[in-house]
Amino acid sequence: MPRLFLIRHGETEWSVNGRHTGRTDIPLTPKGEQETTEKAAQLVGEEVIDPRNICTLPALPSHVITESVREWDYGEYEGLLSPEIQARNPGWTIWKDGCPGGESTTEMCFRVDTVIEQVREYHRKWLEKGEGSRDVVIVAHGHFNRVLIARWINFPLSLGTHFNVEPSGIAILSYNHRNILEPALNALNLYAHVGLD
């Protein structure tokens, strides 16, 4: 069955200290760079992601760099810690309130659902016509990935709060019973360093 590999980028300074990072481009920490390099060798070409299923070797896989998989636009909350946001707006939660000056929950849901439709159409073409390659890989961000996982399995956006997506972690999304109408979460946080702190 076709799969979607959903990968969260590696550790950044702001992911370590909990700052909301939407549109700010923060580089990976040295640890984030090291983990990404190590995981690339484990993932591509060994057992998890077979390059033959995402591209024709020796060419690079067909790829798109797109704003559609960017992080949630935090608007006025960009760069803030959750306690700082709570001081401004007690009781706030991104999962029901969205972000003033950024994206609402409705806007985020629409954007993620559009990405899912595109992936499912790609998968459908492979299943029904043998077109393209079997798997899709998306490298994105924490909240985006959590929303995508929830929406992939037909849950409301707000249930994304229950999926913890670690830096450099990989989720595998696919389908049950060889049926594209039965989306499933097959794995979460593969190869991630899940801290106990």
Side-chain angles (χ1 to χ4, degrees), residues 43-63:
L43 297 176
V44 179
E46 291 190 6
E47 297 178 14
V48 180
I49 302 174
D50 183 343
R52 292 170 297 192
N53 289 320
I54 58 173
C55 63
T56 303
L57 294 176
L60 288 174
S62 174
H63 65 282

Side-chain angles (χ1 to χ4, degrees), residues 48 80 88 98 104 112 114 117 126 129 139-140 142 164-165 189 191:
V48 180
L80 298 180
R88 289 182 182 193
S104 69
V112 169
T114 300
E117 287 172 15
W126 183 83
K129 302 176 184 178
V139 180
N164 191 28
V165 179
N189 285 321
Y191 298 95

Side-chain angles (χ1 to χ4, degrees), residues 112-165:
V112 169
D113 286 352
T114 300
V115 170
I116 290 171
E117 287 172 15
Q118 292 169 338
V119 170
R120 289 208 175 123
E121 177 60 14
Y122 187 88
H123 284 165
R124 186 193 64 73
K125 286 180 180 177
W126 183 83
L127 273 171
E128 294 176 3
K129 302 176 184 178
E131 291 180 12
S133 53
R134 180 184 71 195
D135 297 328
V136 173
V137 177
I138 294 176
V139 180
H141 310 274
H143 275 115
F144 177 88
N145 289 4
R146 293 166 77 184
V147 171
L148 192 141
I149 291 166
R151 299 299 297 149
W152 181 270
I153 52 180
N154 300 317
F155 288 169
L157 170 145
S158 61
L159 291 185
T161 191
H162 299 289
F163 300 108
N164 191 28
V165 179

